[in-house]
Amino acid sequence: MTSRHAAADQLLDVIATTRSIRRYRADDIPDADLADMLFAATRAPNPGNRQATRFVVLGRSASARRARRLLGDAYRSAWARKADGEQWWAGSGSDPTSRKARAGRAMQHFVESFETIPVIVLVCALMRLDPPPKHSLQMTPVFEWGSVFPACQNLLLAARALGYGGTISGWHESAETQLREELSIPDDVAISAIVTLGRPAGSHGPVRRRPLDEVVFLDRWDEPPSWALDPPGSLLRGGTMVTDGAAPGPEHTR
Amino acid sequence: MTSRHAAADQLLDVIATTRSIRRYRADDIPDADLADMLFAATRAPNPGNRQATRFVVLGRSASARRARRLLGDAYRSAWARKADGEQWWAGSGSDPTSRKARAGRAMQHFVESFETIPVIVLVCALMRLDPPPKHSLQMTPVFEWGSVFPACQNLLLAARALGYGGTISGWHESAETQLREELSIPDDVAISAIVTLGRPAGSHGPVRRRPLDEVVFLDRWDEPPSWALDPPGSLLRGGTMVTDGAAPGPEHTR
């Protein structure tokens, strides 16, 4: 990053190294750290200041253990369907050293050990307006996603800053009815996303992405500005590292 | 925040003071800062690693000026409809010192000066899968929101860290057809959200929210854990400040 002041560089560094973590060490997360992460989550923006996002944390009670089991089963089914539907282990996935195969093994491990993930947070949204508006505005799903996902992102960034890692997922659909019953979640509350958290078993980031000049345009679609340069040290697709702030040619980035 | 290490505290502080900023000073944003903010945006998670989020930045070209005008008109109409539909200026809104009236004036200023906002970013999503999957998985809107909103949040946090402010909005619907034409945005690209950015005319945060024990539950709906305590210095609804880490009674927080 261009150096301006330390706080900005640290924040940008946390953002650049917050990647999806799906393998966790067994360590529990201390309550004070959980409180800080959830505090950060509640500081996300929320359309119309409804503050309708809720967080159900699954700990170690008997009820939480049953909920974890329901989720684990749902996640294993969803991953099996996806891996099968996309023929995950064919093509490049058949080479065990490929990125695809490694990603597949991480996912397999994630769903197989779902019940033991240190912390599972159900990010929920009240689907009613409270208090009800005098002139009923229909709440759109988009409206709620605009609260739920920024909250998830704050949760992951705060986790990263405190030395944890996690990922956003949403494979709970087949377990939803039983999950509501087990956790007493009312019918008018959406279980919108699931964030899993723990001490990473491997290392954090950096995140690897398309070069900036493929995704940032100025004043017209597909026309990147001259300043759309990845900072030195960025990892691009294919594993190329930017060394001098200049975007490499496309041959390096696929 | 409980003090552990400086980087974590700084990140949590940036998160806690990133609030929606709708009044901007006229200063342009230097390209290097814009590049850092957009780099941060691209580091957001994205389901299935599709990397389908795109950012169209509106600068000062003739085409951008026409797009700004289209957006300004759309935003003014949308706000007028909302203020009218919700009778914004009745009830507590009729007291010019109320929070509602102040929020309304900020919104009025936002839409009236929309064309002059230093930077407007259209956050877009490719609605096709690229490359097309062999076994067609239907892409759901949720899938895309899971990329778009974390990217918007990273953009706002990076802006805050660099001394800027902004807000996520989405009142462009009535201008969408003309906007696509003006900016050559293809039909299969969704204009998902709009992030406005600039140097804040007022001060940043802190963000004011419900107390943590109203929104964080452990193992069962509506049962807050003992550790769901707002850190000292948090602003709760109604303007109460937490002084000792203990959540105040409900009479202070409505």
Side-chain angles (χ1 to χ4, degrees):
Chain A
M1 325 279 152
T2 322
S3 202
R4 263 145 317 221
H5 51 93
D9 284 352
Q10 272 174 345
L11 182 276
L12 294 170
D13 185 61
V14 168
I15 285 178
T17 58
T18 299
R19 65 187 303 170
S20 287
I21 298 289
R22 294 193 181 85
R23 294 178 192 268
Y24 307 98
R25 286 163 49 183
D27 326 27
D28 273 328
I29 301 181
D31 293 345
D33 286 352
L34 264 183
D36 277 353
M37 292 182 219
L38 286 155
F39 178 76
T42 61
R43 267 48 203 167
N46 71 104
N49 198 28
R50 283 190 62 228
Q51 303 193 44
T53 307
R54 298 292 180 272
F55 305 88
V56 181
V57 178
L58 296 185
R60 304 291 184 190
S61 71
S63 173
R65 282 201 303 273
R66 286 190 296 267
R68 284 164 171 270
R69 182 58 188 270
L70 292 169
L71 282 168
D73 287 342
Y75 271 62
R76 286 183 285 276
S77 305
W79 165 241
R81 270 197 311 275
K82 180 179 167 71
D84 190 49
E86 295 181 14
Q87 300 195 302
W88 194 280
W89 305 107
S92 72
S94 66
D95 170 4
T97 65
S98 68
R99 280 179 57 81
K100 188 167 190 191
R102 279 183 285 137
R105 287 196 301 273
M107 199 62 90
Q108 188 71 34
H109 175 85
F110 178 63
V111 300
E112 278 172 7
S113 57
F114 201 88
E115 282 86 339
T116 66
I117 291 171
V119 169
I120 299 170
V121 182
L122 278 54
V123 184
C124 299
L126 308 188
M127 299 306 285
R128 57 178 181 266
L129 288 167
D130 181 13
K134 293 201 187 72
H135 295 264
S136 171
L137 282 180
Q138 279 304 314
M139 193 176 57
T140 69
V142 174
F143 197 83
E144 282 315 316
W145 294 123
S147 303
V148 164
F149 284 122
C152 291
Q153 182 63 4
N154 274 6
L155 192 52
L156 291 178
L157 292 172
R160 170 70 186 97
L162 293 166
Y164 304 97
T167 191
I168 307 172
S169 62
W171 280 345
H172 53 291
E173 194 179 336
S174 65
E176 197 170 317
T177 308
Q178 286 174 282
L179 208 52
R180 284 182 186 287
E181 197 165 324
E182 188 60 54
L183 302 169
S184 306
I185 298 175
D187 286 344
D188 56 358
V189 171
I191 306 171
S192 303
I194 294 188
V195 175
T196 46
L197 296 166
R199 193 71 70 183
S203 60
H204 285 290
V207 174
R208 185 192 301 246
R209 290 285 184 268
R210 286 175 193 269
L212 219 51
D213 64 0
E214 285 187 17
V215 300
V216 175
F217 311 135
L218 181 65
D219 293 349
R220 192 182 171 84
W221 187 256
D222 238 354
E223 296 198 352
S226 58
W227 47 261
L229 302 173
D230 294 271
S234 312
L235 265 190
L236 304 181
R237 280 184 314 172
T240 312
M241 184 173 285
V242 177
T243 54
D244 58 357
E251 70 275 16
H252 298 298
T253 62
R254 307 284 163 178
Chain B
M1 322 282 155
T2 322
S3 203
R4 263 144 316 218
H5 49 95
D9 284 351
Q10 272 174 345
L11 182 278
L12 294 170
D13 185 61
V14 168
I15 285 178
T17 58
T18 299
R19 65 188 301 172
S20 287
I21 298 289
R22 295 193 180 84
R23 295 179 192 267
Y24 308 99
R25 287 164 48 184
D27 323 29
D28 273 328
I29 301 181
D31 293 344
D33 287 351
L34 264 183
D36 277 352
M37 291 182 219
L38 286 155
F39 178 77
T42 61
R43 268 46 203 169
N46 69 106
N49 199 28
R50 284 190 61 228
Q51 302 193 43
T53 308
R54 298 291 181 272
F55 305 87
V56 182
V57 179
L58 296 185
R60 304 291 185 189
S61 71
S63 174
R65 282 201 302 274
R66 286 189 297 268
R68 285 165 171 271
R69 183 57 189 271
L70 292 169
L71 282 167
D73 288 342
Y75 271 61
R76 286 183 285 275
S77 305
W79 165 242
R81 270 197 310 275
K82 180 179 166 73
D84 189 48
E86 295 181 15
Q87 299 194 305
W88 194 281
W89 305 108
S92 72
S94 66
D95 170 4
T97 66
S98 68
R99 281 177 58 80
K100 189 167 190 193
R102 279 183 285 137
R105 287 196 301 274
M107 198 62 90
Q108 188 71 34
H109 176 85
F110 178 64
V111 301
E112 277 172 8
S113 58
F114 200 87
E115 282 85 339
T116 66
I117 291 171
V119 169
I120 299 171
V121 183
L122 279 54
V123 184
C124 298
L126 307 188
M127 300 307 286
R128 57 178 180 268
L129 287 167
D130 181 12
K134 293 199 187 75
H135 296 263
S136 173
L137 281 181
Q138 280 304 315
M139 192 176 56
T140 68
V142 175
F143 198 84
E144 282 314 316
W145 295 124
S147 303
V148 163
F149 284 121
C152 291
Q153 182 63 5
N154 274 5
L155 192 52
L156 291 178
L157 293 172
R160 169 70 186 98
L162 293 166
Y164 305 97
T167 190
I168 307 172
S169 62
W171 281 345
H172 54 291
E173 195 179 337
S174 65
E176 197 170 318
T177 308
Q178 287 174 282
L179 207 53
R180 285 183 184 284
E181 196 165 325
E182 189 59 55
L183 302 169
S184 305
I185 298 176
D187 286 343
D188 56 359
V189 171
I191 307 171
S192 304
I194 293 186
V195 176
T196 46
L197 296 166
R199 194 71 70 182
S203 61
H204 285 290
V207 174
R208 183 194 302 246
R209 291 283 184 268
R210 285 174 194 270
L212 219 51
D213 65 359
E214 285 186 19
V215 300
V216 175
F217 310 135
L218 181 66
D219 294 348
R220 192 183 171 84
W221 186 258
D222 239 354
E223 296 198 352
S226 58
W227 48 261
L229 302 175
D230 293 272
S234 312
L235 265 190
L236 305 181
R237 280 184 313 172
T240 312
M241 183 172 286
V242 177
T243 53
D244 58 356
E251 70 275 17
H252 298 299
T253 63
R254 307 284 163 177

